[in-house]
Amino acid sequence: MTLVAGIDSSTQSCKVVIRDAETGKLVRQGRATHPEGTEVHPEAWWSALQAAIEEAGGLADVAAASVAGQQHGMVVLDADGEVVRPALLWNDTRSAGAAADLIEDLGGGDKGRQAWVDAVGIVPVASFTLTKLRWLARHEPENAARVAAVCLPHDWLTWKLAGAHGLETLRTDRSDASGTLYWSAKTNEYRHDLLELGFGRRLIVPEVLGPTGIAGHLPNGAPLGPGAGDNAAAGLGAGALPGDVVISIGTSGTVFVSSDVAPDDPSGAVSGFADTTGRFLPIVVTLNAARVLDAATRLLGVDHDELSRLALSAPAGADGLVLIPYLEGERTPNRPNATGAVHGLTLRTSEPAHLARAAVEGIGQPDRAGRRRRPQRGGPPHRAGPVRAAGAGPAARRIRRGRGRPPGRVGRRGW
């Protein structure tokens, strides 16, 4: 039996699965948690990965491995390959001002947003890597002066697994590179001029590999695949074909579609990412999803199973109680300084079941927003493939299915 390892280094945890390469059967697995917060030292991810590998029985007998990871996080390295400062994650919004400035740098307003879409397919928001580099250059010049290379979380973990043999051996894939603001999914090329615009000088960046590229080798000689950003990996795992829609509720909430055509959305609501195969991955992302449910469990003093039971016991719409789920600012719409709110609180709705229902319905925003904003010129969606994510819970899945759309199928009017 030939074994392969898949590694998922997400915002909240690291998971390692070992499977039979022929049948896909799960042989063993391991998991370890990541620290809370939007600023995390990469060594914490490495420690979690080592713990998850150990729980999964090690990698000595696998024939290949690959890493998927949270996107956009800024990992900056000095000339010796040491981490300069803790990574700023995708959900860290301190670079919102830098994002606005980058739009101004290319003409401002609609002109500036369109210029960024034309260049790299996406409009600057605080999530993207280049905005964090601009923030670093302006707010921590001493740290910025030490930076020799920049990479992303999955790039760094792949590099570490391969032995970290110099900055020139950093590797990535097109899906993760496409979320940086300095790599174009249309041309499959880095825009070093934009990296220099954002940071003030050029940096070493990972080589972008194709889907069959080899990013390095494990100590046993097994090849490491190029890996992927988490959403592209989800699309690949779901077997998404052009036009297929995938909905994911994890730390973030996402709706994306596999497409043969790059989207063109200067509003920034739809980001023109790349997928793992050579196609495009138009995507709508919200910052707030499963962690809204975590917050609701804390407020109500219940676990996730009880939260789901409470939510399903309340009527649809929670009798008018609405939870605005912007607990960490928001990306879609682009409101990085927004906060959450509860509306419609009355004696009738001031019950745990109503609040639970409002929380679950609140995280349905990416589903609604994504369907309202069909990725432009990306081909008609024809199937929905929900990805079951940790933290979503049965209530989230059942309530979504109750919106009048049978599971697994989306009519074109749904967009």
Side-chain angles (χ1 to χ4, degrees):
M1 180 169 58
T2 301
L3 300 179
V4 292
I7 297 164
D8 174 26
S9 181
S10 67
T11 311
Q12 298 185 67
S13 65
C14 180
K15 285 81 68 180
V16 174
V17 296
I18 313 295
R19 292 185 179 272
D20 182 335
E22 295 297 324
T23 66
K25 180 182 177 181
L26 179 65
V27 176
R28 56 185 194 264
Q29 61 185 321
R31 182 182 186 277
T33 59
H34 287 159
E36 292 283 336
T38 63
E39 181 177 10
V40 175
H41 199 288
E43 287 294 341
W45 304 330
W46 181 244
S47 296
L49 174 56
Q50 296 307 302
I53 288 173
E54 182 177 359
E55 186 175 298
L59 301 180
D61 58 347
V62 303
S66 193
V67 181
Q70 56 177 305
Q71 293 189 254
H72 315 311
M74 181 192 73
V75 180
V76 283
L77 307 175
D78 67 15
D80 296 322
E82 296 298 321
V83 175
V84 172
R85 73 171 321 280
L88 298 183
L89 306 191
W90 60 274
N91 55 352
D92 190 292
T93 59
R94 73 186 72 182
S95 59
D101 290 344
L102 287 169
I103 294 172
E104 289 298 315
D105 288 345
L106 294 192
D110 292 343
K111 179 182 178 182
R113 286 188 285 272
Q114 186 64 59
W116 280 101
V117 170
D118 292 342
V120 291
I122 54 179
V123 177
V125 294
S127 294
F128 299 147
T129 318
L130 186 60
T131 70
K132 302 175 191 305
L133 286 168
R134 169 65 68 89
W135 180 92
L136 178 66
R138 289 186 171 178
H139 293 271
E140 297 181 359
E142 291 185 0
N143 279 334
R146 294 176 52 207
V147 176
V150 60
C151 62
L152 302 169
H154 114 260
D155 311 342
W156 186 81
L157 288 170
T158 300
W159 183 66
K160 291 280 285 184
L161 284 169
H165 300 301
L167 299 178
E168 70 280 0
T169 64
L170 285 165
R171 301 290 185 266
T172 191
D173 87 302
R174 64 191 303 272
S175 71
D176 224 1
S178 66
T180 61
L181 281 172
Y182 47 83
W183 190 86
S184 170
K186 294 179 182 178
T187 66
N188 289 308
E189 294 176 334
Y190 275 111
R191 289 293 304 265
H192 292 283
D193 57 326
L194 297 179
L195 177 54
E196 188 171 357
L197 172 71
F199 188 63
R201 58 184 172 88
R202 292 200 175 192
L203 297 171
I204 296 171
V205 289
E207 179 184 347
V208 180
L209 300 177
T212 60
I214 295 176
H217 294 84
L218 293 172
N220 69 348
L224 281 161
D230 50 5
N231 290 300
L236 182 68
L241 300 174
D244 287 356
V245 181
V246 178
I247 300 161
S248 174
I249 299 175
T251 307
S252 64
T254 64
V255 178
F256 56 87
V257 60
S258 175
S259 175
D260 287 321
V261 182
D264 180 2
D265 184 9
S267 77
V270 179
S271 295
F273 292 168
D275 77 349
T276 59
T277 69
R279 298 189 181 101
F280 301 95
L281 199 78
I283 188 169
V284 174
V285 181
T286 65
L287 292 185
N288 300 277
R291 294 182 72 183
V292 175
L293 303 186
D294 293 341
T297 63
R298 292 194 298 271
L299 284 172
L300 296 175
V302 299
D303 60 18
H304 281 278
D305 289 340
E306 179 63 7
L307 184 76
S308 287
R309 189 196 68 76
L310 287 168
L312 292 171
S313 72
D319 288 325
L321 188 67
V322 176
L323 173 67
I324 307 299
Y326 302 160
L327 305 189
E328 291 189 302
E330 191 45 75
R331 170 170 164 179
T332 309
N334 185 26
R335 295 174 182 167
N337 299 315
T339 58
V342 176
H343 297 281
L345 190 63
T346 66
L347 290 176
R348 178 183 176 88
T349 61
S350 56
E351 296 288 341
H354 284 78
L355 181 58
R357 182 84 186 201
V360 173
E361 291 183 348
I363 66 169
Q365 177 184 312
D367 186 352
R368 297 189 294 273
R371 295 175 187 278
R372 282 199 303 269
R373 298 195 63 86
R374 172 187 162 189
Q376 300 175 30
R377 300 198 301 274
H382 59 85
R383 290 195 303 169
V387 173
R388 183 173 178 176
R397 295 189 293 275
R398 287 182 58 182
I399 288 172
R400 178 191 169 271
R401 288 200 296 267
R403 290 184 187 140
R405 304 183 185 94
R409 190 77 186 170
V410 178
R412 295 190 185 185
R413 285 193 174 186
W415 286 78

